[in-house]
Amino acid sequence: MEAILVKSVENSLTQFLLKNAIFLCERLCAEFPSEVNLQLLARCYLNNNQAYCAYHILKGTEEPQSRYLFAFSCFQMDLLSEAEAALVPGNQPDSEVPNGASGHYLLGLIYRYTDRKENSVKHLKKALSIDPLFWTAYEELCMLGAAEEAAAVFSRAAVSHVQKYYFGHESKYLHTIYEDQSSGDARNLVLENENVNLKYLQEHNLRDISQDFHETAVPAVQPGNPSRKLSVNSTPSAMLTQLLDTPLQISGNLEYNSSFLGGKNLQNTTAQAPRRKLVAEGKSGKVWGRLFSDSGPRRSPRLAAMRAKSNVLQLEGDGRCVSSSAKSNSSSFGSSVVCREQNSGTCLDACDDASSHHTTTSYASSLGSDRFLEHERENMKLSGLAEDGAKIISGISDALSLLSLLGEGYRLLCLYRCEESLEVYQKLSHKQYNTGWVLSQVGRTYYELVDYMNAEYAFRLSHQYFPYNLEGMDIYSSVLYHLQEEMKLSHLAQELISIDRLAPQSWCTIGNCYSLQKDHETAIKSFSRAIHLNSRHAYAFTLLGHECSALEEYENGVKCFQRALSVDSRHYSAWYGLGLIYLRQEKLEFAQHHFQNAFYINPRSSVILCYIGITLHELKRDEEALEVMEKAILADERNPLPLYQKAKILVSLEKFDEALKVLEELKEYVPHESCIYAMIGKIYEQQQKYDAAIFHFGLALDLNPNALDAATMKAAMENLLLNCRIHDDL
C-alpha cells in the first residue's frame, strides 16, 4: 500500500496535479508516518505555495533533507533567522550544510538578505564549485560584484567535475579517449591472453601439446538460423547508465575465433599414438564436430575464424555427417571420416587413440577461446564506452563554452561595462541570441547606456518572440516611459495583466503607465501591489521611491530606497534616488555621499556623474564641478544634460562666451528644449543685448515650457521691455 501511494503521489507531482498529490500524501503520512513520507508531503505543500504547511510539519526535524525543506519553507515565509538555524544548527559555520549545492545557495541568499556579504559570497561560491552548472548562483555572485573568480568555473577544467557531479563518478573507460586506441593496444591484449593460457597449462601440469596449433572454431552464422547469432551485451558504467534510457547493447552476426594459444610453440616430447574412433552419444541427433588441425600457429583471429568455417561438419543430402575438409581432400587435417549408424541414427566422430592427450588439447583450446571472447567483449565495451564518453565530454565542453559566453556577458553587464557586454552577446549563435533571456539582457544593456531606441527594439523583439515571458518587462516599461510612448506603454500593461496578474512585472508596468499620465497616486498603489506580490523586487521599491519623491513625500521615498538597498546593495538606482531626495532637501553632503556610492557601482553612468557635478556646484566647488562635467560629457556624448549643466556653471562663473558656445552646440542635439533658449536669453540679458534676449525668451515660450518656467520667462521679458524703454528714453 505504501509503495502504491508513494508512486501515485510522485505521478501527481510530475503531472502538476497538486491537490491530488496533497490529498494522497496526507493519507500516506497518516498510515505510514515516516520521515521520508513527511518530506514528500512537504514537497507537495511547497509546490502548491503552501510554505506554512511545510513549515509546521517539518519543524523540529533533524534529518538533513528535512532540515533543507524546513529552511526553504522559512525562506519563503521571510523567517530568515529560522532558515539559517535549520541549515547551520547551533551557529556552527563549519557544520555540513544539507542538500549540497542547493543548501549552500539557499544559505548564501539568507546571508545576502541579512547584509552579510562575505558569508553570502562564500556559500554561493561553494554552491558553484559543487555544481559548475548552477547558473543562478553565478547570477547572485554577479549581482554581489564577486563574479571575477566564479567565472573560472566555466572553463574546460571543469569538464571532469561536471561529469562526476551529474553522472555519479568518472568512468575509467572515459580516460581511454585521451589514449591511443590503435590496433597495437588490441594486440597487447591478445598477447596478454596467450601468456595467461600458457601459465595455466604450466601450473596445472598438463601434457605437452604437439607442435601443431590446434583450434576450435565457432560455427559460422547460417542465414535464417537465429540460434546461431552471437549477441554481446556490454554493460556501461554507472555514469552512462544514468545518461542513457537503456543499457548499451552491441549485437549482430559476429564470428569469433574461439581460441588463441601462445605466442610460442610448445615442444612435443611424446610420440603420437594410433588413432581410434570415439562415439559421442547424441540421442537427440545433434552434431558434435571438433576437428583438430595440424597447421602452425596463427595470430590473426579473422584468419582463424575463416579457417574454422571450412572445418564445420555439414549434413549431406542423404543424411550422412561428413567433414568439409574430407570433401576438399585437404592434407592439413587428420583422419576425420564419419559415418551414420543405420540402427540408432547416431553420428560417430573420429578422434585420436590417445584420448587424454587430445582431451587436454581440447580443454586448453576451450580455455583460450573463453579468455579471448572475454577480451573481445571487453574491447567492444571499451570502444563503445570510449565513443559515448567522448560524446559526453564533448557535450559538457559545449555546455560550459555556452555558459562561459553567457556568463561573461552577464558579468560585464553587472559591472556596467555595457559596450563590452554587447560585444560578447553578439558572439552567440543566432539560435541562442534570439531567446527571451538574451534579448532581455541586450535590452537592459542599451537601457543602461541610455540608448532607449535600441533598448525598445530589443525588448520589443523579446516580447514578440516570447510573449509570455515577463522577465525584464518592468525595465521595458521604463524604457517606454522615458520615450514618452503612452500608447505602447498602455498596450503593454494590458497584455501583461492579461497574461499574469500576479506577476510584479505586470504591476510595475501599470505603475509606469499611470506615472506617465501624471496620476502619481494610482502609480503608488500599483507599485505597492508589485511589492506585495514579491517583497524582494528591488526595482519595484525604486520605482515607488521615485513616485513618492514626485509627490514630495520624501520620508516615504527614503524608506523605499533603503528597502531596495536591503534587497540588493548594488542597486545603484536606489543610491541615486536617495541622492536626488537629499539634493532637493538641500542636504548637499548627504547627496554627494549617495551619488558617490552610486558612481562606485556604475562608474560609466553619465547621469550619475552629472549629478555629482551639480552637487559640487551647489557646494560652491565650481572648478571640481566643471571637471566632473567634462567626464560626464565624455562618458556619453549623446546625453545633453552634462552640456546644459556645464553651461550653467560657466554662467555662474560669468564666462558668458564659453557658455554661449556650449549652448549653441547643445541646440544641435536638442533643438526643441525651451530651457536652452531661456538660458541664452539670460546670457544676452547679462550682456545687455536686450533685443536678442527678448527674441530667445520668445522662442522658449513658443516651445511650451511648464507653467512655472513660462511665468518666469514672461516676467523676464517684461523687465527687458521696461529696460529697453528706459534705455530709449535716455
Side-chain angles (χ1 to χ4, degrees):
M1 177 179 176
E2 182 179 9
I4 293 174
L5 288 175
V6 169
K7 184 65 176 177
S8 179
V9 171
E10 293 286 357
N11 288 340
S12 297
L13 288 176
T14 303
Q15 298 166 13
F16 305 103
L17 304 175
L18 302 180
K19 288 187 177 180
N20 189 63
I22 291 173
F23 175 81
L24 292 176
C25 202
E26 286 177 349
R27 309 286 77 72
L28 172 67
C29 291
E31 192 72 24
F32 307 99
S34 65
E35 186 81 14
V36 176
N37 292 338
L38 287 176
Q39 293 172 10
L40 183 59
L41 181 58
R43 283 173 50 204
C44 295
Y45 284 137
L46 289 171
N47 284 332
N48 202 37
N49 294 322
Q50 293 177 269
Y52 51 89
C53 293
Y55 170 84
H56 286 292
I57 67 171
L58 293 176
K59 191 172 184 179
T61 56
E62 296 295 333
E63 201 272 333
Q65 182 64 17
S66 297
R67 283 166 44 209
Y68 171 78
L69 292 173
F70 177 73
F72 189 84
S73 304
C74 295
F75 183 79
Q76 293 293 101
M77 300 168 63
D78 285 332
L79 303 175
L80 300 184
S81 58
E82 289 192 53
E84 180 185 354
L87 293 174
V88 188
N91 291 325
Q92 299 175 359
D94 295 332
S95 60
E96 184 177 354
V97 178
N99 220 28
S102 301
H104 283 284
Y105 172 72
L106 183 58
L107 192 56
L109 291 182
I110 293 170
Y111 285 137
R112 176 190 167 188
Y113 296 140
T114 52
D115 295 327
R116 286 175 282 179
K117 180 179 177 180
E118 292 184 1
N119 290 336
S120 177
V121 170
K122 173 185 174 183
H123 285 279
L124 289 172
K125 285 184 177 179
K126 181 65 176 177
L128 201 57
S129 66
I130 296 174
D131 181 5
L133 301 185
F134 208 143
W135 174 258
T136 52
Y138 180 79
E139 281 187 338
E140 294 294 334
L141 284 170
C142 288
M143 288 188 284
L144 289 171
E148 293 290 344
E149 299 176 10
V153 78
F154 297 129
S155 65
R156 287 187 174 272
V159 171
S160 60
H161 194 76
V162 174
Q163 177 191 334
K164 290 177 184 178
Y165 183 81
Y166 282 97
F167 302 117
H169 63 87
E170 187 174 6
S171 174
K172 63 180 180 179
Y173 295 110
L174 296 185
H175 293 293
T176 61
I177 67 170
Y178 302 111
E179 300 172 357
D180 183 16
Q181 294 297 320
S182 62
S183 59
D185 295 331
R187 184 166 58 252
N188 291 336
L189 288 175
V190 173
L191 293 176
E192 181 185 357
N193 182 31
E194 295 173 355
N195 293 333
V196 170
N197 290 334
L198 292 174
K199 185 176 180 181
Y200 184 89
L201 294 175
Q202 293 170 1
E203 288 179 353
H204 290 78
N205 297 320
L206 297 179
R207 289 180 177 270
D208 293 335
I209 305 176
S210 64
Q211 185 175 357
D212 297 331
F213 174 64
H214 302 278
E215 59 188 358
T216 304
V218 176
V221 178
Q222 301 296 331
N225 188 2
S227 64
R228 296 286 191 175
K229 293 182 180 179
L230 180 60
S231 176
V232 180
N233 292 329
S234 180
T235 304
S237 65
M239 178 272 299
L240 287 176
T241 305
Q242 295 177 25
L243 179 66
L244 303 174
D245 292 334
T246 57
L248 179 64
Q249 292 189 351
I250 305 173
S251 60
N253 299 336
L254 305 177
E255 300 173 5
Y256 288 96
N257 177 25
S258 61
S259 69
F260 259 99
L261 277 180
K264 299 179 181 180
N265 292 333
L266 298 180
Q267 298 298 323
N268 184 15
T269 57
T270 59
Q272 292 192 6
R275 299 181 182 275
R276 68 180 179 85
K277 296 181 180 179
L278 289 178
V279 177
E281 295 184 4
K283 294 184 180 180
S284 61
K286 294 183 179 178
V287 177
W288 301 83
R290 289 179 176 171
L291 303 178
F292 301 94
S293 69
D294 296 328
S295 60
R298 294 188 181 91
R299 293 300 181 88
S300 171
R302 181 179 61 83
L303 295 177
M306 292 175 62
R307 175 68 178 274
K309 286 182 183 180
S310 63
N311 301 323
V312 178
L313 294 178
Q314 299 178 353
L315 288 175
E316 291 291 325
D318 60 352
R320 290 184 299 107
C321 189
V322 298
S323 170
S324 60
S325 61
K327 287 185 176 184
S328 61
N329 297 322
S330 173
S331 60
S332 301
F333 294 90
S335 176
S336 57
V337 179
V338 292
C339 64
R340 184 174 185 273
E341 192 175 29
Q342 300 294 330
N343 296 330
S344 63
T346 59
C347 286
L348 303 179
D349 190 8
C351 295
D352 291 345
D353 260 342
S355 60
S356 61
H357 171 77
H358 289 287
T359 301
T360 301
T361 303
S362 176
Y363 177 78
S365 182
S366 299
L367 177 64
S369 172
D370 294 339
R371 293 278 186 172
F372 179 74
L373 284 175
E374 283 298 320
H375 278 292
E376 284 293 313
R377 294 189 184 99
E378 193 68 23
N379 284 340
M380 296 183 67
K381 182 195 300 183
L382 189 65
S383 175
L385 289 178
E387 182 179 354
D388 290 337
K391 292 180 180 179
I392 290 171
I393 291 184
S394 175
I396 294 174
S397 298
D398 292 342
L400 288 174
S401 298
L402 175 61
L403 290 182
S404 177
L405 203 59
L406 292 169
E408 181 66 11
Y410 188 80
R411 183 181 70 86
L412 292 171
L413 177 56
C414 289
L415 294 175
Y416 300 101
R417 293 157 60 179
C418 299
E419 294 88 351
E420 299 174 49
S421 179
L422 283 175
E423 291 176 2
V424 173
Y425 284 133
Q426 287 168 1
K427 295 178 183 178
L428 291 168
S429 65
H430 181 74
K431 294 184 292 185
Q432 290 293 334
Y433 188 87
N434 290 314
T435 55
W437 187 86
V438 174
L439 288 173
S440 294
Q441 297 304 311
V442 171
R444 181 187 162 196
T445 305
Y446 282 119
Y447 172 75
E448 298 295 347
L449 288 170
V450 201
D451 187 354
Y452 297 131
M453 296 299 293
N454 281 325
E456 190 274 336
Y457 178 70
F459 278 120
R460 178 156 45 87
L461 282 181
S462 176
H463 186 60
Q464 179 181 345
Y465 293 157
F466 307 95
Y468 300 102
N469 180 21
L470 304 188
E471 193 69 29
M473 291 298 102
D474 45 359
I475 300 178
Y476 182 27
S477 66
S478 295
V479 170
L480 296 175
Y481 173 88
H482 287 294
L483 291 174
Q484 302 291 304
E485 295 282 357
E486 186 174 342
M487 292 298 295
K488 289 184 179 179
L489 185 55
S490 177
H491 180 67
L492 178 65
Q494 292 177 7
E495 279 190 324
L496 298 186
I497 203 67
S498 65
I499 292 171
D500 188 359
R501 64 182 298 107
L502 297 180
Q505 294 87 350
S506 302
W507 290 97
C508 285
T509 304
I510 293 174
N512 275 329
C513 186
Y514 282 117
S515 179
L516 185 58
Q517 297 170 2
K518 307 302 180 183
D519 188 354
H520 299 295
E521 294 288 347
T522 309
I524 287 176
K525 292 180 181 179
S526 300
F527 293 135
S528 300
R529 174 65 173 164
I531 292 169
H532 177 73
L533 292 170
N534 185 357
S535 60
R536 298 189 181 95
H537 200 290
Y539 194 60
F541 281 111
T542 301
L543 294 175
L544 180 58
H546 285 300
E547 290 302 310
C548 292
S549 299
L551 292 177
E552 298 184 356
E553 297 178 1
Y554 295 132
E555 185 177 352
N556 291 334
V558 168
K559 290 180 180 178
C560 291
F561 289 130
Q562 289 176 343
R563 185 67 185 276
L565 290 174
S566 68
V567 175
D568 183 3
S569 60
R570 296 189 75 254
H571 192 59
Y572 79 92
S573 296
W575 290 107
Y576 166 74
L578 286 170
L580 284 178
I581 289 179
Y582 291 130
L583 182 61
R584 292 173 184 171
Q585 291 178 332
E586 297 184 356
K587 299 178 180 179
L588 301 179
E589 297 293 342
F590 285 100
Q592 183 190 2
H593 169 73
H594 287 86
F595 284 135
Q596 203 68 44
N597 284 339
F599 176 73
Y600 288 147
I601 298 170
N602 186 1
R604 292 170 175 79
S605 174
S606 176
V607 176
I608 295 175
L609 279 169
C610 182
Y611 273 95
I612 291 175
I614 292 172
T615 307
L616 291 172
H617 172 60
E618 295 292 333
L619 289 169
K620 308 301 181 183
R621 295 157 59 180
D622 293 327
E623 295 300 328
E624 295 179 44
L626 280 175
E627 292 179 6
V628 173
M629 288 302 174
E630 291 292 342
K631 293 179 181 178
I633 292 169
L634 291 176
D636 186 3
E637 296 179 354
R638 297 168 299 178
N639 186 6
L641 184 60
L643 282 172
Y644 179 78
Q645 293 297 330
K646 179 183 177 181
K648 192 174 180 180
I649 295 172
L650 290 172
V651 169
S652 68
L653 294 174
E654 297 184 354
K655 297 180 180 180
F656 300 120
D657 293 336
E658 294 182 31
L660 282 174
K661 289 180 181 179
V662 174
L663 291 171
E664 290 295 332
E665 181 184 356
L666 189 58
K667 283 198 299 183
E668 300 294 329
Y669 290 103
V670 279
H672 302 294
E673 287 292 335
S674 62
C675 59
I676 298 174
Y677 298 96
M679 185 176 291
I680 294 174
K682 290 179 181 179
I683 292 173
Y684 285 132
E685 182 182 5
Q686 293 291 329
Q687 293 178 338
Q688 296 183 355
K689 297 178 180 179
Y690 300 124
D691 293 336
I694 292 173
F695 173 74
H696 282 88
F697 279 131
L699 290 177
L701 287 172
D702 290 340
L703 293 173
N704 296 322
N706 59 52
L708 181 61
D709 291 340
T712 304
M713 292 176 196
K714 289 178 181 178
M717 289 179 69
E718 291 176 0
N719 290 332
L720 286 173
L721 290 171
L722 181 60
N723 290 333
C724 286
R725 291 173 185 173
I726 294 173
H727 181 72
D728 292 339
D729 292 339
L730 294 175

